[in-house]
């Protein structure tokens, strides 16, 4: 950092000193000498070194802040911004929209990349009965269009489900959608304009990132800590970019499995209110929690109506149903409804009626408990096998829920190279680069265990451990 004090100012020139200083710092940033998030010298020290008044440095820093080249942090100083909005590069998204090994047909492979659950777990008989009852009752009317918001009796059932997680809402605020991905796309369609900024977690789910990009959004990544986003970094960036919304997962985040602490959930809501932005909370795995602590979605704490809650039932029921829901703040409700209507008019009326009949007859509790029990057994089996075969080789957390583990490989082992080696041994893994917007190589892999037998989990993790030792990392 001492190099910055070699800045030369022309005190007899026509250009104001503060602007000369700002331009010199701009050159240092553009040349890569000053890295993103590096701290600029304190105002008094800079002034002394350059032989100028402190006001000159203050004005230079303010000028740079207006240009989004730096940001200030109360009590800590001034820091170099990542990039001004107009210079944010498009992420390398194309490689992130496929599964590693997706083009390779590997017969009898142990597939740790699939997040599906066994079809044996689907409540097929109960849905068959619900389908038949709808057809007997409605005849051909079962297939007519319905309200774009969704079947009212189903939305009543969904309100009762949400209430079990502390989310208090009414039928008027619930929008039925054809899966969580459609929900994200509808929000993007309704709210995003070309060049708008969206904050996402780092790493993040590539499906959501793709939807934001398709609407012309510019993505800024906020680093994840063990209990959620880095809140200090989040506020710094909120000052800089004024994002249209923040996309996040409060529980068992994809791909890291991280869950937000209560402290960070409350802070996130405070910041959304302070900087006038919305939060998209996607919930795919709240139903797969294996601990005793109660689940409290961000939406359950949303007293300022800042959270757009998107819930998918693909994992807990059946993927092919293509049913989900959104709970919408009133200010954006109409815009999202219009986006829904122009997208597909409405989600399948037949499926909605059948789901309502299934829930009315069976409720949520029994099947949810069965799925949770199944997921918990696979989770504990995977942890046990990882402890046996990967101890001392890889690092991983214990998320207490979800159907995946996020693993960090030993130093010097690239994830894609390791995944290629494992593919040769009939084991399919997902490299962490699939969730990195830059597409850069990294040392993480995602291990999804929900659709594997106990024997497959055991054999797959043993092969991973053996391969790492062959590579000289054990």
């Amino acid at each position: 950092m001492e190099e910055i004090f070699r800045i030369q100012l022309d005190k007899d020139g026509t250009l104001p000193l503060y602007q000369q200083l700002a331009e010199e710092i701009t050159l240092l940033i553009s040349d890569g000498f000053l890295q993103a998030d590096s701290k600029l010298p304190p105002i008094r020290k800079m002034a002394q070194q350059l032989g100028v008044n402190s006001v000159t440095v203050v004005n230079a820093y303010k000028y740079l802040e207006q240009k989004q080249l730096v940001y200030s942090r109360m009590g800590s100083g001034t820091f170099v911004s990542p990039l001004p909005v107009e210079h944010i590069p498009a992420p390398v998204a194309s490689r992130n929209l496929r599964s590693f090994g997706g083009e390779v047909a590997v017969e009898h492979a142990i597939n740790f990349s699939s997040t599906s659950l066994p079809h044996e777990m689907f409540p097929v008989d109960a849905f068959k009965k619900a389908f038949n009852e709808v057809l007997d009752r409605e005849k051909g009317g079962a297939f007519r269009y319905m309200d774009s918001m969704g079947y009212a009796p189903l939305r009543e059932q969904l309100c009762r489900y949400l209430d079990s997680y502390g989310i208090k809402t009414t039928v008027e605020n619930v929008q039925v959608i054809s899966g969580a991905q459609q929900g994200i796309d509808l929000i993007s369609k309704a709210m995003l304009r070309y060049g708008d900024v969206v904050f996402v977690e780092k790493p993040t789910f590539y499906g959501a990132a793709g939807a934001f990009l398709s609407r012309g959004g510019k993505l800024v990544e906020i680093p994840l800590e063990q209990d959620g986003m880095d809140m200090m970094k989040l506020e710094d960036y909120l000052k800089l970019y004024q994002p249209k919304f923040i996309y996040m997962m409060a529980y068992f985040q994809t791909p890291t499995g991280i869950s937000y602490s209560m402290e960070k959930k409350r802070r996130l809501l405070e910041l959304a209110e302070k900087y006038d932005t919305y939060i998209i909370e996607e919930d795919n795995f709240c139903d797969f929690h294996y601990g005793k602590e109660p689940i409290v979605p961000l939406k359950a704490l949303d007293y300022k109506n800042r959270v757009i809650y998107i819930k998918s039932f693909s994992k807990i029921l059946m993927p092919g149903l293509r049913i989900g829901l959104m709970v919408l703040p009133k200010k954006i409700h109409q815009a999202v409804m219009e986006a829904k209507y122009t997208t597909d008019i409405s989600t399948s009326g037949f499926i909605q009626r059948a789901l309502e009949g299934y829930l009315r007859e069976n409720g949520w509790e029994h099947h949810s408990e069965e799925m949770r029990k199944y997921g918990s057994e696979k989770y504990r089996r995977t942890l046990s096998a990882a402890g046996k075969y990967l101890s001392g080789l890889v690092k991983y957390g214990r998320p207490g829920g979800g159907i995946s583990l996020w693993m960090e490989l030993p130093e010097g082992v690239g994830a894609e190279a390791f995944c290629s080696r494992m593919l040769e041994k009939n084991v399919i893994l997902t490299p962490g680069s699939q969730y990195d917007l830059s597409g850069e190589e990294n040392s993480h892999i995602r291990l999804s265990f929900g659709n594997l037998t106990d024997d497959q989990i055991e054999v797959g993790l043993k092969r991973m451990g053996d391969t790492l030792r062959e590579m000289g990392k054990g």
Side-chain angles (χ1 to χ4, degrees):
M1 187 61 73
E2 292 300 322
E3 289 289 330
I4 196 168
F5 298 130
R6 296 181 185 177
I7 289 172
Q8 297 295 317
L9 303 180
D10 182 2
K11 297 181 181 179
D12 296 321
T14 57
L15 194 65
L17 289 175
Y18 82 88
Q19 199 166 340
Q20 290 185 46
L21 176 56
E23 290 186 0
E24 288 290 320
I25 294 174
T26 300
L27 283 174
L28 291 169
I29 293 172
S30 62
D31 289 345
F33 179 77
L34 288 176
Q35 298 293 315
D37 299 311
S38 62
K39 186 177 179 179
L40 296 182
I43 291 168
R44 185 176 298 175
K45 187 173 182 179
M46 175 74 91
Q48 289 175 349
Q49 188 72 28
L50 298 176
V52 297
N53 193 292
S54 294
V55 175
T56 298
V57 181
V58 169
N59 288 336
Y61 285 5
K62 284 183 178 179
Y63 179 77
L64 291 168
E65 193 165 356
Q66 289 170 358
K67 294 180 69 175
Q68 295 183 316
L69 288 167
V70 303
Y71 62 89
S72 61
R73 185 181 294 164
M74 186 70 71
S76 297
T78 302
F79 300 80
V80 178
S81 299
L83 279 174
V85 170
E86 61 269 21
H87 294 152
I88 296 174
V92 183
S94 58
R95 68 187 295 175
N96 294 342
L97 299 178
R98 64 174 177 83
S99 294
F100 190 81
E103 296 103 7
V104 183
V106 183
E107 191 175 2
H108 307 305
I110 299 173
N111 189 355
F112 284 107
S113 71
S114 172
T115 58
S116 299
L117 293 171
H119 63 263
E120 293 86 358
M121 298 297 297
F122 300 159
V124 175
D125 290 341
F127 264 95
K128 181 179 179 181
K129 180 181 178 184
F131 289 149
N132 289 335
E133 287 178 352
V134 170
L135 290 171
D136 290 343
R137 183 180 72 242
E138 303 281 346
K139 306 295 192 270
F143 300 98
R144 65 180 181 270
Y145 286 125
M146 61 171 52
D147 187 329
S148 184
M149 282 188 66
Y151 186 42
L154 173 60
R155 285 186 283 141
E156 290 174 4
Q157 292 282 354
L158 296 177
C159 284
R160 283 192 277 275
Y161 167 81
L162 292 170
D163 187 64
S164 70
Y165 280 122
I167 299 174
K168 311 293 183 183
T169 191
T170 62
V171 171
E172 291 74 24
N173 293 326
V174 174
Q175 170 74 58
V176 176
I177 51 178
S178 303
Q181 187 64 28
Q182 186 190 57
I184 293 167
D185 192 62
L186 291 176
I187 296 297
S188 302
K189 184 178 181 180
M191 296 179 65
L192 279 185
R193 300 296 176 264
Y194 186 84
D196 283 346
V197 173
V198 179
F199 284 4
V200 298
E201 297 158 320
K202 179 179 176 63
T204 194
F205 172 52
Y206 50 76
F212 303 142
L213 289 169
S214 72
R215 302 294 175 182
K218 288 184 173 290
L219 306 186
V220 172
E221 299 172 281
I222 309 298
L224 277 174
E225 298 176 325
Q226 289 305 308
D227 62 343
M229 283 184 184
D230 179 336
M231 291 293 143
M232 186 174 291
K233 187 79 69 181
L234 175 61
E235 183 163 18
D236 290 338
Y237 287 11
L238 282 167
K239 294 174 188 175
L240 278 170
Y241 295 120
Q242 298 85 49
K244 186 67 72 169
F245 43 74
I246 302 165
Y247 168 76
M248 55 80 72
M249 297 182 184
Y251 284 93
F252 317 124
Q253 190 258 3
T254 298
T256 65
I258 284 170
S259 296
Y260 281 64
S261 63
M262 183 63 74
E263 179 185 0
K264 285 201 170 178
K265 283 186 281 191
R266 295 191 188 281
R267 181 59 177 156
L268 183 54
L269 291 170
E270 289 171 2
L271 291 174
E273 178 69 13
K274 181 177 179 180
Y275 293 97
D276 191 23
T277 191
Y278 288 99
I279 302 165
I280 298 177
E281 177 186 11
E282 183 178 356
D283 173 8
N284 287 331
F285 294 110
C286 272
D287 299 295
F288 292 88
H289 62 281
Y290 312 136
K292 295 180 180 179
E293 289 292 319
I295 292 290
V296 184
L298 188 69
K299 185 64 181 175
L301 307 170
D302 182 29
Y303 64 97
K304 290 290 188 178
N305 223 10
R306 287 286 174 183
V307 178
I308 302 160
Y309 178 80
I310 300 178
K311 170 71 181 179
S312 169
F313 298 114
S314 295
K315 297 293 185 292
I316 198 67
L317 288 174
M318 295 181 283
L321 283 178
R322 304 309 305 145
I323 288 281
L325 67 85
M326 289 193 292
V327 182
L328 299 165
K330 288 183 180 179
K331 286 185 178 180
I332 65 169
H333 200 172
Q334 186 60 37
V336 175
M337 282 181 60
E338 290 171 3
K340 170 67 174 170
Y341 188 82
T342 58
T343 297
D344 64 0
I345 302 179
S346 67
T347 297
S348 167
F350 174 59
I351 297 296
Q352 289 190 62
R353 288 180 173 88
L355 178 57
E356 188 276 331
Y358 167 84
L359 294 175
R360 180 167 26 85
E361 182 71 22
N362 300 281
W364 291 96
E365 294 77 11
H366 177 71
H367 181 67
S368 293
E369 185 58 37
E370 287 293 308
M371 295 297 277
R372 195 154 39 243
K373 180 181 177 183
Y374 170 83
S376 177
E377 289 172 353
K378 293 298 177 186
Y379 170 71
R380 298 182 199 292
R381 182 76 181 201
T382 304
L383 286 179
S384 174
K388 189 186 305 182
Y389 301 115
L390 300 178
S391 180
L393 293 172
V394 303
K395 298 176 184 176
Y396 53 90
R398 296 172 177 263
I403 55 173
S404 301
L405 294 182
W406 183 242
M407 294 185 160
E408 183 179 359
L409 297 172
E411 186 176 351
V413 178
E416 296 207 9
F418 179 67
C419 289
S420 294
R421 286 284 292 272
M422 292 308 302
L423 201 57
E424 296 170 3
K425 300 189 177 187
N426 257 20
V427 177
I428 303 175
L429 303 168
T430 305
S433 57
Q434 297 294 298
Y435 305 95
D436 189 316
L437 298 185
S438 69
E440 292 177 356
E441 170 74 352
N442 65 48
S443 60
H444 286 87
I445 58 171
R446 188 188 191 202
L447 194 84
S448 300
F449 48 77
N451 200 21
L452 297 173
T453 66
D454 290 352
D455 285 346
Q456 286 175 318
I457 292 170
E458 190 86 9
V459 171
L461 287 170
K462 184 178 186 303
R463 289 180 187 174
M464 287 172 62
D466 290 344
T467 301
L468 286 171
R469 291 183 180 91
E470 290 168 10
M471 297 170 74
K473 299 300 175 181

